[in-house]
């Protein structure tokens, strides 16, 4: 039996604040210590999603990209929908969409959350990250019309359109065939001498 006292969430606050530093060594040290704290460490990270410093909130969302479980989804969704800082929302989008880094995939309907961000987030960086996140999900028919609307309506940010085109090619065989036909219709570039 372990006789060590369980750390209190407030005792872990300095580690949470280290997640917001620019020193990657300090961030790595905080990750190790929070993981060693077990469920209390994860609880502290979830509490850190409401920290007054946006860099700390972003660091907490980044921690959950690798160590998040289904119990973390409500906190990430809250950050995704309500955080005033785009970089925090973007990191929350990534954490919810990326199962590659986690021990087991999250059970949340990530596709619907991503589609909501694509259609309503004011930050083009968050929208672009959400579109990229769709490429990591199982193909879903709900994504196609949204991505087609992005291609039709997005005029301010070409990188959002480019990402939508790329992901739509992955998810929609008909769109891929249309793009391939267009590419074949263009004359070949003249050879350089």
């Amino acid at each position: 039996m372990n006789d060590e006292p369980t750390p209190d969430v407030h005792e872990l606050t300095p580690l949470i604040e280290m997640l917001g530093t620019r020193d990657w060594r300090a961030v790595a040290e905080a990750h190790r210590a929070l993981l060693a704290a077990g469920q209390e460490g994860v609880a502290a990270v979830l509490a850190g999603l409401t920290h007054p410093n946006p860099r700390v909130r972003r660091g907490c969302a980044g921690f959950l990209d690798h160590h998040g479980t289904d119990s973390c989804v409500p906190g990430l969704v809250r950050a995704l929908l309500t955080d005033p800082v785009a970089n925090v929302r973007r990191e929350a989008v990534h954490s919810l969409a990326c199962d590659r880094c986690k021990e087991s995939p999250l059970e949340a309907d990530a596709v619907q959350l991503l589609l909501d961000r694509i259609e309503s987030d004011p930050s083009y960086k968050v929208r672009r990250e959400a579109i990229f996140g769709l490429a990591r999900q199982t193909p879903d028919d709900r994504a196609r019309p949204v991505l087609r609307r992005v291609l039709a309506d997005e005029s301010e940010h070409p990188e959002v359109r480019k990402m939508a085109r790329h992901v739509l090619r992955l998810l929609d065989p008909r769109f891929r065939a249309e793009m391939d036909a267009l590419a074949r219709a263009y004359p070949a570039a003249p050879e350089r001498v």
Side-chain angles (χ1 to χ4, degrees):
M1 182 159 196
N2 189 355
D3 293 332
E4 291 183 34
T6 303
D8 184 280
V9 170
H10 297 295
E11 293 174 21
L12 299 173
T13 299
L15 293 173
I16 297 303
E17 291 175 346
M18 284 172 63
L19 292 176
T21 184
R22 295 178 194 268
D23 179 357
W24 65 269
R25 289 177 191 92
V27 171
E29 180 184 329
H31 271 248
R32 283 190 295 276
L34 288 164
L35 286 174
Q39 288 299 337
E40 289 77 15
V42 173
V45 171
L46 286 170
L49 288 172
T50 61
H51 193 279
N53 183 334
R55 289 188 58 81
V56 172
R57 295 193 308 269
R58 181 179 177 209
C60 289
F63 177 92
L64 294 174
D65 175 30
H66 292 268
H67 310 293
T69 62
D70 288 331
S71 65
C72 302
V73 170
L76 282 169
V77 169
R78 197 170 28 261
L80 175 75
L81 298 176
T82 64
D83 201 282
V85 178
N87 278 338
V88 177
R89 294 192 312 274
R90 186 176 56 75
E91 194 67 42
V93 163
H94 180 82
S95 294
L96 285 164
C98 182
D99 289 333
R100 179 175 67 174
C101 301
K102 294 176 186 64
E103 288 184 24
S104 62
L106 300 178
E107 294 297 320
D109 184 4
V111 171
Q112 188 58 54
L113 293 166
L114 296 171
L115 294 174
D116 290 344
R117 290 298 85 201
I118 292 166
E119 293 189 305
S120 65
D121 202 279
S123 168
Y124 79 92
K125 291 179 181 180
V126 174
R127 293 193 313 272
R128 184 181 62 205
E129 184 70 36
I131 292 168
F132 182 68
L134 285 175
R136 297 177 175 172
Q137 305 300 309
T138 303
D140 191 307
D141 290 337
R142 297 174 291 176
R144 292 177 188 151
V146 172
L147 292 172
R148 284 185 179 268
R149 275 196 301 278
V150 169
L151 286 175
D153 299 340
E154 180 65 56
S155 59
E156 281 187 55
H157 302 288
E159 56 274 0
V160 174
R161 284 177 48 86
K162 182 178 180 181
M163 183 63 69
R165 187 178 307 107
H166 172 72
V167 173
L168 194 54
R169 281 181 63 88
L170 295 173
L171 300 179
D172 187 347
R174 194 176 85 212
F175 181 79
R176 184 173 44 251
E178 291 169 11
M179 293 296 103
D180 290 347
L182 280 174
R184 285 191 297 275
Y186 279 95
E191 282 189 39
R192 294 185 183 184
V193 181

